[in-house]
């Protein structure tokens, strides 16, 4: 005799409280879930704060042009002029030393002072705000140009009058007097910004904060990285 055939047991149906293998594969474990992204602005001061700081830097650097202008007027060499009267009785003014290099020294003095101001301003900005940023760099660059323009105006205002004929008449015929401060090389107005940007970039690259390096083998579950080898 043969044993009666018994039907195979029905397949086990997972209950609503027991997750299936497919669901368990799709739903990552709570302990291994990927960390949520940091909210915007948590790693830095935020764009609004950076814009305010950039504006403060721009104004402070530009106002430094007053001191630059005073130093330029004080340290720049004087260009000697002499007044005379021609045959028609008209006053003429000419250089006393035609081969002198005082005019070149005037431009060089402003350029060297602007480079020094750019170095100091970049150092102060970096010590005050060690993290870089576009608003800070723009404020430093634009403030340097505005400060140089202000220094140019302050220096010429403090220097001798631009009316050389009236000045020659006031001092008398054949008497040496100083020419007004004139900037021949307009490229000196960019020296402050150039030095500030280079120094600030170098300080940020050498001593600025570093981004944390990713840990080797750490990955998000399911992406194939960091999974143990079977």
């Amino acid at each position: 005799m043969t044993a009666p055939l018994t039907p195979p047991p029905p397949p086990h149906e997972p209950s609503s409280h027991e997750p299936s293998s497919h669901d368990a594969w799709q739903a990552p474990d709570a302990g291994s879930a990927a960390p949520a992204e940091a909210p915007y602005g948590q790693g830095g001061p935020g764009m609004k704060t950076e814009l305010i700081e950039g504006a403060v830097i721009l104004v402070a650097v530009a106002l430094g042009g007053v001191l630059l202008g005073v130093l330029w007027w004080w340290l720049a060499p004087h260009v000697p002029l002499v007044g005379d009267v021609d045959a028609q009785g008209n006053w003429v003014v000419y250089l006393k030393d035609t081969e002198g290099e005082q005019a070149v020294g005037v431009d060089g003095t402003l350029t060297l002072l602007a480079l020094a101001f750019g170095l100091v301003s970049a150092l102060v900005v970096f010590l005050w705000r060690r993290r870089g940023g576009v608003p800070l760099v723009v404020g430093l660059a634009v403030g340097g140009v505005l400060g140089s323009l202000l220094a140019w105006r302050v220096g010429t205002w403090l220097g001798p009058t631009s009316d050389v004929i009236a000045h020659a008449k006031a001092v008398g015929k054949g008497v040496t007097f100083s020419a007004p401060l004139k900037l021949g090389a307009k490229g000196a107005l960019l020296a402050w910004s150039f030095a500030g940007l280079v120094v600030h970039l170098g300080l940020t690259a050498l001593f600025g904060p570093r981004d944390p390096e990713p840990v080797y083998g750490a990955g998000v579950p399911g992406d194939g990285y960091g999974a143990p080898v079977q």
Side-chain angles (χ1 to χ4, degrees), residues 20 24 37 72 99 110 133 149 168 191 209:
S20 62
E37 294 184 357
W72 180 46
E99 297 181 357
L110 181 60
L149 291 173

Side-chain angles (χ1 to χ4, degrees), residues 66-77 105-111 113 151-157 181-184:
V66 177
L67 179 59
L68 176 59
V70 173
L71 292 176
W72 180 46
W73 162 73
W74 183 35
L75 299 176
V106 172
D107 297 342
T109 301
L110 181 60
T111 302
L113 288 174
W152 180 24
R153 297 304 179 186
V154 170
T156 54
W157 177 69
L181 281 178
K182 289 185 178 181
L183 183 62

Side-chain angles (χ1 to χ4, degrees), residues 164-194:
V164 293
I165 299 297
H167 198 176
K169 292 180 180 180
V171 299
K173 178 181 177 180
V175 178
T176 303
F177 62 96
S178 298
L181 281 178
K182 289 185 178 181
L183 183 62
K186 299 302 188 293
L189 300 176
L190 301 177
W192 188 340
S193 298
F194 176 77

Side-chain angles (χ1 to χ4, degrees), residues 10-37:
H12 177 69
E13 294 292 339
S15 62
S16 58
H17 301 285
E18 181 180 356
S20 62
S21 60
H22 179 73
D23 296 333
W25 175 261
Q26 294 295 333
D29 187 11
S32 62
E37 294 184 357

